[in-house]
Amino acid sequence: MRFTHPRHPVATLRPRLLGKSSGARTLPARLASNSAAEIPSEPNTRYLKPTYDFSSPPSIRTASTLALGEQYLLPIYARPPVVLSHGRGCWVWDTEGRKYLDFSAGIAVNALGHSDPGVAEVLHTQASTLLHSSNVYHNEWTPKLAELLVTLTASEGGLGFPTGSTPTEVRVFFANSGTEANEGALKIARKVGKDRWAAVTGKKPDDQACSKTKIVCFENAFHGRSMGALSVTSTEKYQAPFRPLIPGVDVGKVNDIQCLQRLITDETCAVIAEPVQGEGGVTAADEQWLRALRERCNETGAVLIYDEIQCGLFRTGTMWAHSALPVDCHPDIITMAKPLANGYPIGAVLLRDTIASTMTAGTHGTTFGGSPLACAVGHHVLSRLSAPSFVAHVRDVSKYLNTRLELLPKWFPDILQTDVRGCGLIRGLGLRNETHPGKIVELARERGVLLLTAGKDAVRLVPSLTVSKEEVELAVNVLEGSLAALQN
C-alpha cells in the first residue's frame, strides 16, 4: 500500500551579594549583544563557595506559604523551599530577599523575561476590553495571531516553506497548552490516516477494519502528561503509574536512520518528534535523520508532526528549529506553546491545508483556546520576537554562550561528557554521573543562578531570549564554580 500526500531593553541588574571576580579574565562591566566578548583562559573561581545560606530557618512569610501549599496542594512537584515573589527581566527574587539570575525562564516560557512592561500593558488593555468570549463567536485577535504565525513561517522558513516564501494554504488551531496542542495534532493525524486508508481501500474512514491508526514516537521524548500525549512520552517513570495507555504506539530512537523502515509502516498514521528534545536531555536531531524521517512518512502516508513547544519560536535563532533546513526535512504539522504569550497560557497547532482539510465543524474544539486575551498577548510577543534586531541579538548571545560552554568539558573532563548539547538558547551539559545534574542545579541555586535538569544526565540552560552577554557571563561563571565545587 503506497500513499501520497522591536527589541525590548534588557535589564542590567547584578546581585549585590555576589563578590568580586578572581581566578579568570573577565568581561567588561556591561556588554551589548553586538560587543566583542573576552573569553576566559581558565575556570572562574569566584563562586567556589555559596552566595546564599539555605540552612537558616525561613521567615514567617516564607514558612506560612510553604505550609499552606503542603496542606492544600496536590503533592506532585519536588520543589526546593524557595518562594518566588517577583521578577524583572532575567532576574527573580524570593520572599527572603534573595536575588537569582533565572536561566530556566519558567521552563523556556518567559522569552521576553519577567514582568515585561509591554506584555503587562497588553494584558491590562485587553482584559479591560474583552477577556473571554468562547469560540461561539469571532474575536479580533485570534485571526490576527493566526495570520502572523502563517506569514512568519512562510517568510522565515518551515512547514514546507523555504525562506522568503509567500504563505498559502496553512491553518492554525489555538489551544491552552503544549499538551493540548499535541493532543490536537495527534487527533488530526489519526483522522487523516483514516481518510488515506479509505482512499486506498475504497471503504469508509470510520470502518472498524481501518488499520492505519498507529503512532510513532521516540525515546526520551516529552510531549505532555494527558493520556494521549503521555502515550507518546516514552519515559518509564512518567508512563508506568498510568498504564494501560492508548494502544498502537511504536517507539524508535532519535538519529537512528536504520530503524525507520521497520518502525514506520503503512499502518502508521502519525509520527511525532522534537527537532531538539528539551525535557529528554537536550538532544538535537540530525538533518540526515530528519530527511530520512520525512521521506519515510511520504512513502507510507504518515503525518509528520514536529513538537517545537520548547525549541521553537526563535529559541534556536530561527523561528522554528527546522526553519533553516531544506524543505525535504520539514513536517506537516508544527505544535507550539511555551513562549508564545510569554507565560499567559496558550498553545497552537500549525498545519498545511492538505492535512487541515479533514477537519470540519464539530470535529474538534475548545472553550478557552484562542481567547482574545491570549491571542492579543501572543501577537504582541511574536511581533517582538520576530523583529530582525531581536533575532540578531538572540544569535549573537547564543554564539557567546556556545563559546563559553564549549570550554567546560575541557576544564572538567571527569565530570562532563564531551559534547555540549542543543543549539541557540536551548543548551545542555551532559554529566558522566547521573546523580550530578540535580546537585549542579542545587549548587548553582546556592550561588544565585537558576538552572534545570534534563533527562537522566543533563543540566539545561534555557534563559529568556532577552538575556545579555553580561548575564551569560555571570551564569557560566557560577556554573564553573559549581562544577569546581562538585569536583573538589
Side-chain angles (χ1 to χ4, degrees):
M1 189 181 296
R2 187 174 182 86
F3 296 83
T4 59
H5 98 217
R7 187 184 163 204
H8 183 71
V10 178
T12 59
L13 303 173
R14 183 182 291 274
R16 290 191 297 269
L17 294 177
L18 300 181
K20 199 170 183 178
S21 177
S22 63
R25 292 183 292 149
T26 59
L27 299 175
R30 174 66 185 159
L31 283 172
S33 68
N34 59 354
S35 300
E38 188 175 349
I39 306 303
S41 57
E42 58 186 357
N44 190 286
T45 59
R46 178 179 177 183
Y47 302 105
L48 294 177
K49 296 182 178 180
T51 302
Y52 298 128
D53 181 7
F54 287 89
S55 63
S56 302
S59 66
I60 294 175
R61 179 185 179 187
T62 299
S64 62
T65 300
L66 295 174
L68 203 63
E70 185 176 355
Q71 182 177 359
Y72 292 108
L73 294 176
L74 194 65
I76 56 174
Y77 303 109
R79 295 184 276 207
V82 173
V83 179
L84 298 181
S85 62
H86 62 286
R88 185 72 171 182
C90 293
W91 300 85
V92 291
W93 287 258
D94 68 15
T95 49
E96 300 295 303
R98 294 178 292 234
K99 179 180 178 182
Y100 307 90
L101 177 56
D102 185 7
F103 260 55
S104 65
I107 315 182
V109 168
N110 305 117
L112 295 176
H114 296 279
S115 303
D116 178 78
V119 172
E121 182 180 355
V122 174
L123 280 166
H124 172 75
T125 301
Q126 188 60 42
S128 302
T129 306
L130 183 65
L131 191 152
H132 173 76
S133 60
S134 86
N135 286 294
V136 173
Y137 300 99
H138 296 279
N139 72 75
E140 292 182 304
W141 281 108
T142 305
K144 288 181 181 178
L145 178 55
E147 178 189 33
L148 185 59
L149 281 166
V150 171
T151 55
L152 282 175
T153 297
S155 64
E156 299 291 328
L159 200 70
F161 292 107
T163 304
S165 297
T166 300
T168 56
E169 301 179 337
V170 179
R171 302 287 175 163
V172 181
F173 169 77
F174 288 110
N176 305 287
S177 68
T179 296
E180 286 186 35
N182 282 335
E183 289 281 0
L186 291 170
K187 186 176 175 181
I188 294 166
R190 172 67 66 82
K191 194 169 185 303
V192 171
K194 286 175 173 285
D195 289 345
R196 290 178 174 176
W197 177 87
V200 170
T201 63
K203 298 181 180 180
K204 294 182 178 180
D206 57 358
D207 192 313
Q208 291 188 3
C210 179
S211 59
K212 195 171 184 62
T213 59
K214 290 187 175 182
I215 301 171
V216 166
C217 64
F218 298 92
E219 293 178 5
N220 300 317
F222 187 90
H223 300 295
R225 296 179 186 268
S226 58
M227 292 301 283
L230 180 61
S231 298
V232 293
T233 297
S234 58
T235 301
E236 182 67 15
K237 69 177 182 179
Y238 296 138
Q239 290 190 343
F242 305 103
R243 292 193 179 106
L245 301 171
I246 66 171
V249 175
D250 298 312
V251 182
K253 187 175 182 179
V254 171
N255 294 330
D256 181 355
I257 294 177
Q258 300 303 316
C259 78
L260 297 180
Q261 196 75 18
R262 166 189 56 80
L263 191 67
I264 304 169
T265 71
D266 290 339
E267 294 186 344
T268 305
C269 70
V271 177
I272 185 167
E274 299 162 274
V276 182
Q277 291 183 331
E279 300 292 330
V282 199
T283 301
D286 295 336
E287 178 180 331
Q288 296 90 335
W289 183 77
L290 292 175
R291 180 175 292 107
L293 187 65
R294 173 73 272 175
E295 182 179 0
R296 186 58 182 157
C297 287
N298 290 344
E299 292 171 353
T300 60
V303 175
L304 181 56
I305 304 165
Y306 282 178
D307 175 342
E308 294 229 17
I309 290 163
Q310 189 160 156
C311 62
L313 297 173
F314 296 100
R315 180 157 290 277
T316 62
T318 54
M319 182 168 182
W320 306 113
H322 71 278
S323 288
L325 298 177
V327 295
D328 61 356
C329 301
H330 289 199
D332 301 300
I333 298 177
I334 304 169
T335 58
M336 72 201 81
K338 288 182 179 293
L340 184 54
N342 205 58
Y344 192 88
I346 192 171
V349 183
L350 187 69
L351 60 165
R352 298 299 292 258
D353 250 7
T354 51
I355 306 299
S357 59
T358 191
M359 303 301 285
T360 56
T363 54
H364 197 47
T366 171
T367 297
F368 296 104
S371 74
L373 181 56
C375 291
V377 176
H379 191 278
H380 172 84
V381 171
L382 186 55
S383 297
R384 286 171 57 184
L385 294 181
S386 59
S389 59
F390 190 96
V391 177
H393 162 82
V394 171
R395 292 175 179 173
D396 192 45
V397 174
S398 296
K399 184 178 179 181
Y400 175 58
L401 174 61
N402 182 66
T403 300
R404 291 295 305 267
L405 291 180
E406 285 189 336
L407 295 172
L408 302 188
K410 301 172 185 177
W411 290 342
F412 303 98
D414 295 335
I415 300 177
L416 295 175
Q417 297 174 19
T418 304
D419 296 325
V420 178
R421 303 178 188 177
C423 56
L425 291 178
I426 175 170
R427 307 311 302 262
L429 293 171
L431 281 297
R432 298 188 182 278
N433 186 328
E434 291 184 3
T435 68
H436 283 170
K439 185 62 177 176
I440 291 293
V441 170
E442 180 183 356
L443 291 168
R445 185 169 61 246
E446 291 173 350
R447 289 155 177 78
V449 172
L450 303 183
L451 304 174
L452 295 168
T453 59
K456 296 179 179 179
D457 64 351
V459 169
R460 182 175 18 153
L461 296 84
V462 282
S464 298
L465 304 189
T466 56
V467 68
S468 68
K469 287 182 181 176
E470 182 185 23
E471 288 160 337
V472 168
E473 175 204 14
L474 174 57
V476 179
N477 286 350
V478 166
L479 188 53
E480 290 169 7
S482 300
L483 289 165
L486 182 64
Q487 184 171 259
N488 296 333

